[in-house]
Amino acid sequence: MSGSGRRSSKPAAEEKTRGWGFDGAPAGTRRGDGMRSPGTLAWRAALCCVLLETVLLPARGLNMCMSGSATSCEECLLIHPSCAWCAQEEFGRGRSLTSRCDFSQNLQKRGCDARLIEFPTSSISVLQNMPLSSKGSGSTQYDVVQIMPQKISVSLRPGDQTWFGLQVRQVEDYPVDLYYLMDLSLSMKDDLDTIRNLGTKLALEMGKLTSNFRLGFGSFVDKNMSPFSYTAPKYQENPCNGYKLFPNCVPTFGFRNILSLTDKVDRFNEEVQKQMVSRNRDAPEGGFDAILQAAVCKEEIGWRKEAYHLLVFATDDVPHLALDGRLGGLVQPHDGRCHLDNQNEYSGSTKMDYPSLALLGEKLAENNIFLIFAVTKRLYVIYKNFTALIPGTTVEILDQDSKNVIQLIIAAYNNIRSKVELSVWDHPEDIGLSFTATCQDGKPLPGLRKCADLKIGDTVSFNVSVEARSCPPRGADRSFTIKPVGFKDRLEVTVDYRCDCGCSRKAQTNSSICSATGTYNCGTCHCEPGYLGARCECQEGEASSVYLSACREAEGKQICSGRGECSCNQCLCYESEFGKIYGGYCECDDFTCARHKGILCSGHGECHCGECKCHAGYVGDNCNCSTETSACVADDGQMCSGRGGCVCGRCLCTEPGAFGDTCEKCPTCPDACGTKRECIECRLFNSGRLADNQTCQRLCKDEIITVEALDTEDPGSVLCLYKTDTDCVMKFTYSEHASGRSVLTALKEPECGGGPDAPMVLLAVVGSILLVGVVLLAVWKLAITVHDRREFARFQSARSRARYEMASNPLYKQPVSTHFVETDFNAYGKSFNGGVH
């Protein structure tokens, strides 16, 4: 309803609505409650609360519509999305011009005809909405749809947020193109020997994931010029000349496309077996030159439009970056184009500088290529930092001789297929976008545009809130594209702006309503220079006490707030070097709002009458607080690793001892050992919860060092141990280095006790029994001895008492003993006989 500016009652069948649902149906279409996910309902409820807050907040305090500086319908619409303009001629007589700008319900209460109220709103129209596919190969492979809808049109009123939903699905059995780009410098000789039969083995493994697989091969060394390579005449044909360990190699080259993508994997083996290594002078290689050519030379490499594009980059050293070419006199920046000659070699190697990371990321995304860095362990951190700057890239650790290259590619492929991340192309600066992801758990995640830990065939939903911050020049339309990283599918969004009022098309110049000295437009007069007043009835310079009283906001206040002059019943505000002064009484301005680091409203909002009106995605008095939460999501999918909260787009760690961008580092946390245990299990022993779901390499990125014996004396490390399924004890230490790296030091093998020795057990049991018997006998002997001594003492005491009693008893008489003494019997007899006579 760009013409009239009033609300229109369109049929629901036209698929035109204020918002567009998760499920692919227009939000205005009535559906059963059972068909709506909890995440959708929760998100919609939250959005309704926000919109209600937006409308009601001004009503509780300052009426920003009436206090604004709007003297025309178009200016009114720019103040706030809740402001409306009354185009009725008789409305507002005797009031200031700004009284025509108010909330729609207020205008109707004050007598404005609803048909003459200009109040355009934002809306969404679905233009193309093909259903999602379920399979990627077969007869339908050229019509595969992985994002829904495909085209929409958005009509935006500045400041008025609206939203639409989209769904993304990783279809099963999707074709795969894999291009193996290998460093053929001298240090990679053993790796070249390892991959000579890679094609057959890799095709066999990839055949388990897709029925449509193609393989290609390319190689690189470095720029064949000083100081990057040996340039003396004797090294031109053989850079290894004089090198004793390996005296023969091929001339140095930048990039060479050896085998374009093909489903004949035997060709891959044949071409690889023909290759020989070369030699360059410095340690860094020219790999980024090769990556860019492999990405942009679509026809020469053979990338298919309907396939996943995997570019495996295998090297054992760091790459040259942009500006390194100046060391060799190359001042021309890379142009980002394909430069392969008839021999399929990079012809611009000695003419242009190395590409920058920004150019590399742009061309990879433009051609939907997933880049897999396959590098040795010592380079992991360096290339990991590259992945943060180049969207759609992953890094995997390559063995010194590339023995694990197949497992590496399979793991990287599964990692890529396990996540969906949205990117925005050609994003207009005056349009604000914010995302809410609803992944497999059904919970809305505001500020997030990525879902991880997905299975092939899963469908995820995203809600996109869109807001126009300003109006572009008349007739200018905008468009942008939303596409999942690495997908060919995309959602095209065209934007038109609702900045004009329908009543402006009926403007009358030199209208009699305006005293023939102005243009009548949307109920107001726009006077010619030198004339003032609601009907252009006054000339500049006229003044009276009646006019002056109308220029005071209240009795006792300054005329025009001391920041303007009163002329013909109106305030003419002064100009200021700081910004604009406006309002019916010059009471407002756009420069006295809160600042952050000296920037008004932090650069993320507009200053209106002393208050910051924040853009979408920002809140706070000075709009310095971002509502984006993607930077707070840890690798395990938890917000701030479950140890803090996301405040203004950054993690605020609340768990004592936790630190890091997502509070992921916490050696002293109670769950530190348990978290790191899972990484020890899957990385060292391929066991545990993370071993089967292909998330080990993604979640467990800490450096793991295996040792024979642990050093438990380090005060900066935490000793962890756990019992394995085999009843052994696994020990490891967890520490955080000053460089920010987490290091796990683990035993090579768990500590397990030996089997029991039967004779020793028997001897121990017998010895224990004997020992117990001897102890019991000793105790018994001791008890008997103590008892006997007590009884003997008692007997001695009783005996002493008995002696005393016999000595003192008067009835007792000592017995007398009589003893006969022997005499001479003969003498006695003679005496006896004589007596007888």
Side-chain angles (χ1 to χ4, degrees):
M1 143 335 280
S2 59
S4 68
R6 295 183 292 274
R7 293 185 182 273
S8 59
S9 55
K10 298 281 185 180
E14 289 186 85
E15 286 193 309
K16 192 166 186 177
T17 176
R18 293 267 301 171
W20 210 76
F22 278 133
D23 44 20
T29 305
R30 188 172 183 85
R31 305 183 66 221
D33 291 340
M35 298 180 68
R36 293 182 181 177
S37 67
T40 304
L41 296 176
W43 195 93
R44 289 178 176 175
L47 182 63
C48 290
C49 292
V50 171
L51 294 176
L52 188 61
E53 179 80 7
T54 302
V55 173
L56 295 182
L57 182 61
R60 293 199 299 263
L62 176 70
N63 187 328
M64 62 178 65
C65 301
M66 296 188 66
S67 64
S69 60
T71 58
S72 68
C73 181
E74 284 75 14
E75 290 180 2
C76 175
L77 300 185
L78 289 175
I79 293 177
H80 193 271
S82 61
C83 295
W85 177 268
C86 179
Q88 187 174 325
E89 179 183 347
E90 297 81 11
F91 181 80
R93 284 192 179 276
R95 302 184 180 94
S96 64
L97 293 178
T98 54
S99 64
R100 289 182 176 271
C101 186
D102 201 346
F103 301 128
S104 178
Q105 61 269 32
N106 290 351
L107 292 175
Q108 294 185 54
K109 289 179 181 178
R110 288 162 48 197
C112 184
D113 190 337
R115 295 172 297 176
L116 297 176
I117 294 178
E118 297 285 342
F119 185 50
T121 57
S122 300
S123 61
I124 304 289
S125 296
V126 181
L127 305 180
Q128 184 176 356
N129 188 29
M130 297 172 60
L132 296 173
S133 303
S134 58
K135 195 172 182 180
S137 295
S139 58
T140 61
Q141 74 175 72
Y142 298 104
D143 300 320
V144 173
V145 177
Q146 297 186 96
I147 188 171
M148 182 180 75
Q150 295 80 43
K151 289 183 181 181
I152 63 173
S153 175
V154 183
S155 297
L156 294 178
R157 175 181 172 176
D160 185 21
Q161 285 191 18
T162 188
W163 60 272
F164 57 87
L166 63 95
Q167 294 179 318
V168 181
R169 176 185 295 166
Q170 295 258 28
V171 301
E172 300 178 3
D173 197 22
Y174 200 72
V176 175
D177 287 346
L178 189 149
Y179 192 77
Y180 194 88
L181 184 58
M182 184 175 182
D183 176 5
L184 284 189
S185 59
L186 192 57
S187 58
M188 294 286 287
K189 182 180 182 304
D190 55 345
D191 301 77
L192 180 60
D193 295 335
T194 302
I195 70 162
R196 294 194 186 277
N197 294 312
L198 173 66
T200 304
K201 298 177 182 178
L202 183 58
L204 183 63
E205 291 297 324
M206 290 298 295
K208 301 175 182 178
L209 304 174
T210 176
S211 61
N212 195 335
F213 175 68
R214 297 199 309 167
L215 187 62
F217 182 73
S219 60
F220 67 92
V221 183
D222 207 344
K223 296 182 182 295
N224 190 14
M225 60 186 301
S226 182
F228 313 113
S229 301
Y230 295 95
T231 57
K234 66 175 182 178
Y235 295 122
Q236 288 300 308
E237 297 299 326
N238 182 13
C240 297
N241 190 358
Y243 188 65
K244 295 181 179 179
L245 295 178
F246 195 77
N248 296 306
C249 57
V250 298
T252 306
F253 58 93
F255 164 68
R256 184 178 294 157
N257 176 31
I258 297 170
L259 178 66
S260 299
L261 291 164
T262 177
D263 54 3
K264 298 179 175 59
V265 295
D266 292 339
R267 286 280 315 281
F268 181 92
N269 297 339
E270 293 172 4
E271 294 299 332
V272 171
Q273 289 172 4
K274 298 176 185 177
Q275 302 309 307
M276 292 182 61
V277 294
S278 184
R279 186 186 182 196
N280 60 328
R281 174 176 285 177
D282 58 352
E285 319 289 5
F288 280 8
D289 266 344
I291 291 176
L292 187 64
Q293 292 303 298
V296 299
C297 298
K298 296 182 287 187
E299 295 181 2
E300 291 80 356
I301 301 299
W303 297 114
R304 293 177 292 179
K305 184 178 179 181
E306 297 79 15
Y308 277 112
H309 302 159
L310 305 183
L311 178 57
V312 180
F313 178 79
T315 185
D316 64 348
D317 224 315
V318 295
H320 278 296
L321 303 176
L323 302 182
D324 284 357
R326 296 195 175 189
L327 296 173
L330 301 177
V331 296
Q332 180 182 349
H334 204 292
D335 60 6
R337 298 178 181 176
C338 178
H339 294 281
L340 291 186
D341 58 19
N342 295 332
Q343 284 74 39
N344 271 334
E345 288 196 15
Y346 175 39
S347 60
S349 179
T350 58
K351 299 176 183 178
M352 291 182 291
D353 193 6
Y354 299 97
S356 65
L357 287 170
L359 179 61
L360 206 61
E362 176 187 340
K363 295 304 177 182
L364 287 170
E366 188 178 292
N367 294 283
N368 306 320
I369 294 176
F370 290 105
L371 177 60
I372 303 171
F373 289 125
V375 299
T376 53
K377 187 175 182 179
R378 69 181 182 88
L379 302 175
Y380 180 83
V381 175
I382 296 175
Y383 281 89
K384 181 63 179 176
N385 293 334
F386 287 155
T387 64
L389 303 173
I390 306 176
T393 59
T394 58
V395 58
E396 302 289 344
I397 297 177
L398 184 68
D399 288 349
Q400 291 293 339
D401 56 359
S402 297
K403 285 184 179 179
N404 69 328
V405 65
I406 294 179
Q407 294 85 346
L408 179 152
I409 293 173
I410 299 299
Y413 174 78
N414 287 326
N415 184 21
I416 291 170
R417 295 298 306 271
S418 69
K419 59 186 177 184
V420 170
E421 181 176 5
L422 299 183
S423 62
V424 182
W425 288 70
D426 302 323
H427 185 185
E429 293 182 357
D430 59 353
I431 291 181
L433 297 175
S434 61
F435 293 81
T436 298
T438 303
C439 303
Q440 289 306 102
D441 57 2
K443 298 179 181 178
L445 301 173
L448 202 63
R449 61 172 75 179
K450 178 173 66 174
C451 286
D453 293 333
L454 304 176
K455 297 178 181 178
I456 295 177
D458 286 347
T459 303
V460 293
S461 303
F462 297 89
N463 269 31
V464 184
S465 175
V466 56
E467 174 189 359
R469 298 179 181 137
S470 61
C471 286
R474 290 185 181 274
D477 288 335
R478 298 285 190 270
S479 63
F480 60 92
T481 301
I482 298 177
K483 64 188 293 288
V485 175
F487 284 52
K488 71 175 181 65
D489 304 77
R490 63 190 63 204
L491 168 60
E492 297 177 0
V493 183
T494 57
V495 182
D496 68 271
Y497 295 81
R498 311 293 293 274
C499 297
D500 297 328
C501 296
C503 56
S504 296
R505 294 196 297 268
K506 303 176 182 178
Q508 304 172 18
T509 59
N510 298 323
S511 172
S512 59
I513 301 175
C514 302
S515 307
T517 56
T519 300
Y520 181 73
N521 185 17
C522 294
T524 63
C525 288
H526 297 274
C527 304
E528 298 292 339
Y531 292 88
L532 300 171
R535 294 291 181 263
C536 303
E537 68 274 17
C538 298
Q539 287 186 303
E540 290 185 1
E542 296 180 354
S544 69
S545 59
V546 177
Y547 292 155
L548 292 178
S549 62
C551 293
R552 299 179 190 271
E553 188 174 4
E555 287 295 329
K557 292 290 185 72
Q558 288 183 300
I559 294 175
C560 298
S561 304
R563 303 198 293 180
E565 294 180 352
C566 184
S567 179
C568 195
N569 206 28
Q570 291 182 350
C571 284
L572 300 179
C573 302
Y574 297 140
E575 293 184 357
S576 173
E577 60 180 323
F578 301 108
K580 181 180 179 182
I581 299 174
Y582 59 92
Y585 305 99
C586 302
E587 74 278 11
C588 293
D589 59 61
D590 61 0
F591 53 83
T592 58
C593 292
R595 297 173 182 263
H596 179 66
K597 295 183 178 180
I599 302 177
L600 190 68
C601 298
S602 306
H604 302 303
E606 307 295 335
C607 181
H608 177 78
C609 207
E611 295 184 1
C612 286
K613 178 191 172 188
C614 301
H615 295 158
Y618 292 91
V619 294
D621 294 339
N622 54 10
C623 303
N624 70 324
C625 185
S626 172
T627 59
E628 184 78 15
T629 60
S630 57
C632 297
V633 180
D635 289 334
D636 60 0
Q638 295 189 77
M639 192 69 67
C640 298
S641 303
R643 297 171 179 147
C646 191
V647 179
C648 296
R650 294 185 176 182
C651 281
L652 181 64
C653 304
T654 57
E655 182 78 20
F659 62 100
D661 292 340
T662 57
C663 305
E664 74 280 7
K665 303 179 184 299
C666 186
T668 59
C669 288
D671 62 340
C673 288
T675 303
K676 301 302 179 183
R677 166 189 172 174
E678 295 179 341
C679 293
I680 293 290
E681 289 177 334
C682 74
R683 288 274 297 275
L684 296 185
F685 308 110
N686 194 30
S687 62
R689 184 179 64 89
L690 302 180
D692 298 328
N693 58 8
Q694 305 298 331
T695 58
C696 182
Q697 293 293 331
R698 181 175 60 83
L699 298 181
C700 302
K701 300 170 183 176
D702 301 332
E703 180 181 358
I704 299 180
I705 302 173
T706 56
V707 295
E708 296 290 345
L710 282 177
D711 178 14
T712 58
E713 303 298 326
D714 185 3
S717 63
V718 178
L719 176 63
C720 302
L721 51 89
Y722 65 90
K723 193 174 183 180
T724 66
D725 295 337
T726 57
D727 291 332
C728 298
V729 177
M730 184 62 191
K731 297 180 180 179
F732 64 93
T733 58
Y734 168 33
S735 62
E736 296 288 345
H737 283 196
S739 62
R741 294 185 299 113
S742 299
V743 179
L744 304 178
T745 305
L747 293 175
K748 288 186 177 180
E749 296 293 338
E751 293 181 348
C752 301
D757 189 350
M760 291 300 296
V761 172
L762 181 61
L763 288 176
V765 172
V766 173
S768 299
I769 294 174
L770 291 176
L771 179 61
V772 171
V774 170
V775 170
L776 291 176
L777 286 174
V779 171
W780 177 80
K781 180 62 177 176
L782 179 62
I784 292 300
T785 300
V786 172
H787 178 268
D788 287 349
R789 287 184 178 179
R790 287 179 179 175
E791 291 298 323
F792 182 71
R794 189 180 296 113
F795 169 74
Q796 290 288 13
S797 176
R799 184 178 179 186
S800 297
R801 289 197 299 273
R803 286 179 180 175
Y804 170 79
E805 290 173 357
M806 287 186 293
S808 59
N809 189 357
L811 299 179
Y812 180 76
K813 185 177 182 179
Q814 288 287 348
V816 178
S817 300
T818 304
H819 302 279
F820 290 96
V821 180
E822 185 177 357
T823 61
D824 189 355
F825 184 77
N826 292 332
Y828 182 78
K830 289 179 179 180
S831 176
F832 182 78
N833 292 335
V836 177
H837 291 299

